[in-house]
Amino acid sequence: MIPYSRQSISKQDIRAVQQVLRLDWLTQGPNVFAFEKALARYCRVPYAVAVSSGTAALHLAYLAAGLKKGDEVITTPNTFVATSNMLLAVGAEPVFCDIRLETYNLDETKLENLITRRTKAIVPVHFAGQPCEMDAILKIAKKHKLIVVEDACHALGASYRGNKIGSLSSDMTVFSFHAVKAITTGEGGAVITNNRQYYKRLLLLRSHGIYKNLQGKNVMTVLGYNYRLTDIQAALGLSQLKKLDWFIAKRRRVAEWYREELKDIEEIILPTPHEGSGSACHLYVIRVRNPKLRDRLWAYLQKRGIGANLHYPAVYSHPYYRKIGYRNLRLPNEEIYQHSCLTLPCHPTLKRNQVEYVCGAVKNFIKNYDL
Ligand SMILES: *Cc1c(COP(=O)(O)O)cnc(C)c1O
């Protein structure tokens, strides 16, 4: 099976993890702090807080931002459910904005219409590693005094108009280090920020809401969690981070190979390379012009050992969301997208001949589907 994504672990990664196992610290310790420092430097921000998953990172960012019951938060339906699940977890109400069919990101021109007196924040998701139109989004946020939390779980290492994702003027930016993401710690995540107040709140919330007072006593002041990353994972993260730019370069090359192989196929819509931003190429998503064929192509590829996948069914179309109040929501572009998208394998260790094999299967299907 050629998976749609997978980790790439080197001998150095293994050595880095083995070293930690011989030392005194297994839980949060020197490697976590070093990993945070390296991540902050990479993203050109002062503060990074490493946590146990991207989902935990979203939860803490929303809590640190003060989101709570009664608040509306505008986000995209084209994301992993965790983006809006954690909004529900803090009691906030996700408001889904339709997407653009050029980038599959939320359509910033439709944002302002969704703002009400209860709107508190915007959560843009850089889908597939392609940055959202952040200039427009940040301008709208400033005008209406809204918090911006970027879900950059696909976009570590991506850039927007020459600036690294995470270094823009948003309040906080969230990453995931799950095995399929740009770099991995097994499970893991981080929140990065320019703001010292958020930073201090995140540290407190990560560790039960407890801090040591001047007398050296542990005092709990807010309801926190145990969302800490282990030093074992952080050592892997530090080692992986050194290869991040190389990983992204390889992913971009895979995307170019797909473009070369598939660009002349009428029935397939390829992702549009976007001016002014550098995608992290986290996912390679094609669209099938005739949506009736999408599921058949998906099954056809699966049968040939190709781990094609669907990213994503609209968040609002999951049974849980239908049940809690999104029963009739159908956003026009999102509907077109979710029934025509198909993710082809894309990761740093994918070989040219594997890409050719995948494209050969796609072409064969297109040539023969009506027979
Ligand atoms: C992976 C992902 C998450 C969740 O990250 P985990 O580390 O798996 O908890 C959240 N949002 C998006 C867009 C993701 O791709």
Side-chain angles (χ1 to χ4, degrees):
M1 187 69 140
I2 304 175
Y4 86 84
S5 186
R6 60 158 290 139
Q7 70 275 21
S8 94
I9 301 291
S10 66
K11 287 203 188 79
Q12 291 101 297
D13 291 335
I14 293 167
R15 218 173 298 133
V17 170
Q18 282 175 336
Q19 249 163 19
V20 181
L21 291 171
R22 296 197 185 89
L23 301 176
D24 290 338
W25 283 102
L26 294 185
T27 58
Q28 179 174 287
N31 278 288
V32 169
F33 307 131
F35 179 46
E36 289 175 337
K37 212 167 148 187
L39 186 68
R41 184 178 310 141
Y42 180 87
C43 295
R44 300 186 192 109
V45 294
Y47 308 111
V49 178
V51 293
S52 52
S53 70
T55 305
L58 286 164
H59 192 193
L60 291 196
Y62 296 160
L63 288 170
L67 298 178
K68 58 183 189 311
K69 198 169 166 55
D71 295 341
E72 290 177 5
V73 178
I74 304 173
T75 188
T76 171
N78 185 28
T79 183
F80 184 56
V81 288
T83 314
S84 69
N85 285 356
M86 291 303 104
L87 290 172
L88 296 175
V90 301
E93 183 185 323
V95 174
F96 295 105
C97 179
D98 203 3
I99 62 168
R100 280 181 168 279
L101 283 177
E102 301 85 32
T103 59
Y104 316 142
N105 280 330
L106 67 77
D107 184 345
E108 69 286 348
T109 65
K110 296 182 178 154
L111 209 49
E112 224 162 359
N113 276 339
L114 298 173
I115 295 173
T116 71
R117 286 209 333 277
R118 295 205 289 136
T119 308
K120 286 287 153 57
I122 307 172
V123 181
V125 179
H126 308 300
F127 177 75
Q130 170 64 55
C132 296
E133 270 310 327
M134 289 309 297
D135 282 348
I137 293 170
L138 289 166
K139 199 168 151 197
I140 293 166
K142 197 168 175 188
K143 181 173 155 197
H144 297 271
K145 297 194 169 58
L146 303 176
I147 289 162
V148 177
V149 176
E150 294 174 57
D151 180 339
C153 288
H154 294 183
L156 177 61
S159 58
Y160 176 75
R161 302 196 191 286
N163 298 305
K164 274 258 153 30
I165 284 298
S167 71
L168 310 175
S169 63
S170 305
D171 291 84
M172 285 171 271
T173 299
V174 167
F175 298 116
S176 163
F177 311 123
H178 179 275
V180 300
K181 305 290 162 77
I183 63 166
T184 189
T185 59
E187 300 276 4
V191 186
I192 65 171
T193 181
N194 292 307
N195 180 311
R196 190 175 161 76
Q197 283 320 104
Y198 288 138
Y199 175 62
K200 287 167 75 174
R201 261 184 255 170
L202 291 165
L203 292 181
L204 203 55
L205 289 163
R206 171 174 68 180
S207 227
H208 308 286
I210 291 176
Y211 79 102
K212 244 185 213 342
N213 73 4
L214 291 173
Q215 288 81 44
K217 286 188 180 143
N218 285 335
V219 184
M220 183 193 141
T221 48
V222 293
L223 186 62
Y225 299 82
N226 176 357
Y227 279 164
R228 293 183 301 257
L229 193 70
T230 66
D231 242 38
I232 309 165
Q233 293 170 298
L236 179 56
L238 259 173
S239 179
Q240 287 257 303
L241 191 58
K242 293 183 188 134
K243 293 176 291 185
L244 173 57
D245 287 336
W246 181 80
F247 286 157
I248 291 173
K250 296 282 279 190
R251 284 175 178 276
R252 286 178 178 160
R253 195 144 99 220
V254 169
E256 280 166 28
W257 291 338
Y258 275 123
R259 172 157 290 279
E260 282 171 33
E261 293 281 333
L262 298 175
K263 67 179 187 304
D264 296 325
I265 304 181
E266 266 296 296
E267 289 82 353
I268 300 287
I269 302 166
L270 300 183
T272 335
H274 211 62
E275 270 174 48
S277 62
S279 174
C281 292
H282 172 61
L283 299 172
Y284 195 82
V285 180
I286 61 169
R287 291 205 298 120
V288 184
R289 225 175 264 284
N290 176 354
K292 290 203 188 84
L293 296 178
R294 197 274 307 269
D295 285 2
R296 282 173 58 194
L297 173 57
W298 184 28
Y300 183 92
L301 295 178
Q302 291 271 344
K303 217 158 62 193
R304 279 152 189 80
I306 298 163
N309 216 318
L310 305 185
H311 296 98
Y312 292 95
V315 171
Y316 60 70
S317 69
H318 284 284
Y320 180 80
Y321 280 84
R322 290 297 190 210
K323 200 173 65 195
I324 64 166
Y326 298 88
R327 178 158 299 117
N328 298 316
L329 187 61
R330 275 163 192 80
L331 297 169
N333 286 346
E334 174 63 23
E335 289 302 308
I336 294 170
Y337 173 82
Q338 72 159 331
H339 295 115
S340 60
C341 65
L342 190 63
T343 305
L344 301 181
C346 179
H347 51 81
T349 51
L350 202 64
K351 300 278 185 295
R352 173 125 206 182
N353 63 356
Q354 292 177 301
V355 170
E356 283 165 5
Y357 173 72
V358 173
C359 294
V362 171
K363 287 176 195 169
N364 252 323
F365 174 83
I366 297 292
K367 208 159 47 185
N368 298 314
Y369 68 82
D370 51 351
L371 298 181

